[in-house]
Amino acid sequence: MSTRAGGGRHRRVGGALLAVTLSGLLAVSGCDLIGEEHAEPDPTPGGSEAAGGHSGSDDHPTIPPQLLECGEKEADPDELQLADVDLTTATWSMPDGFEESFLYVEDNPVEDVATTWYAVPTDPELPTLNVLNVVLYTGLDWGDLADACGRVPLEAVEEQLARYREHIDAEPLSEAEMTEVAGMPAVTQHIGLASYDYVGYWLFSETQLLHVYCQWTDEAAREVIEPACTPLVESVTVG
């Protein structure tokens, strides 16, 4: 979460909201100021590949059965599909009327912080803690909760977000909902803390978390910050 009031194109998230509510899902975080199969060896000397570029076998590489099952398996409303991409490649665009700030830090991170980015409004200017935030966390470990298809039960996601909430002493101000960030399944929710509220977006992979959130200190500031959150989230792309 940013502890201090901390342009152009930077990183990415696509935000088409899906009307699927995750019952009891509690969100968190905030910002304060500052294996491949091997072919059998060719029995002929030098191998037939050397002679003609063919192994001499009519066998074709096969797709592992579990991956075929993943492609055929319908989405389960009780599971979250983890992003199968490197979230460090995320980029996004600066919303109109904002500029990048270097005065903020994540003073109470919920995972290992890899990168942070903050932007503040320029017209009108607002007091500190009214800021847009994009934080990339690493070091996530779903353990055996993630299946071979990279899906985790929503109950596990709920528990993860509940730990985050407890870590930063936050409370939910709305039901958590499924949404999309950069065209991939994500979670969104409004969160309240002692000094500010925010709307957050959580995009999980198996080892990373891209957290986009927009925070305000009062309703007047919310009228400036929240409208900028939509274009920020929609501009995010990954990969």
Side-chain angles (χ1 to χ4, degrees), residues 12-228:
R12 53 199 179 207
V13 174
L17 206 66
L18 303 179
V20 180
T21 299
L22 305 179
S23 59
L25 209 64
L26 303 176
V28 276
S29 193
C31 143
D32 268 344
L33 203 57
I34 88 170
E36 183 179 8
E37 295 184 2
H38 297 282
E40 290 296 325
D42 195 305
T44 59
S48 56
E49 286 184 324
H54 190 277
S55 65
S57 171
D58 291 331
D59 293 339
H60 297 283
T62 58
I63 300 174
Q66 65 269 27
L67 295 184
L68 286 174
E69 294 174 2
C70 292
E72 296 172 353
K73 182 180 177 182
E74 293 185 3
D76 188 333
D78 293 325
E79 293 180 330
L80 176 70
Q81 176 68 61
L82 301 175
D84 187 22
V85 293
D86 181 1
L87 297 183
T88 65
T89 64
T91 65
W92 54 90
S93 298
M94 178 74 72
D96 292 340
F98 282 73
E99 65 180 11
E100 190 169 3
S101 174
F102 300 94
L103 300 178
Y104 289 90
V105 296
E106 293 298 304
D107 69 330
N108 199 11
V110 297
E111 300 285 357
D112 297 331
V113 175
T115 61
T116 60
W117 177 87
Y118 308 98
V120 295
T122 57
D123 185 20
E125 294 184 3
L126 293 177
T128 57
L129 297 183
N130 294 288
V131 59
L132 309 179
N133 313 261
V134 182
V135 181
L136 176 66
Y137 291 109
T138 59
L140 274 70
D141 183 6
W142 294 98
D144 58 4
L145 294 174
D147 65 17
C149 301
R151 297 167 181 166
V152 295
L154 289 183
E155 181 180 356
V157 178
E158 176 183 349
E159 292 173 355
Q160 184 89 313
L161 294 179
R163 286 193 294 271
Y164 293 167
R165 181 198 71 242
E166 183 178 2
H167 184 72
I168 66 171
D169 195 22
E171 62 176 347
L173 300 180
S174 71
E175 294 290 335
E177 296 180 336
M178 294 293 292
T179 186
E180 288 187 359
V181 170
M184 292 172 283
V187 179
T188 183
Q189 190 173 31
H190 283 80
I191 297 298
L193 290 90
S195 300
Y196 54 84
D197 300 337
Y198 72 82
V199 56
Y201 295 80
W202 292 262
L203 174 61
F204 290 99
S205 74
E206 291 202 19
T207 60
Q208 301 169 323
L209 165 61
L210 186 67
H211 184 32
V212 182
Y213 62 110
C214 310
Q215 67 181 54
W216 54 84
T217 55
D218 56 36
E219 287 302 309
R222 179 177 184 172
E223 294 180 0
V224 177
I225 296 294
E226 193 169 28

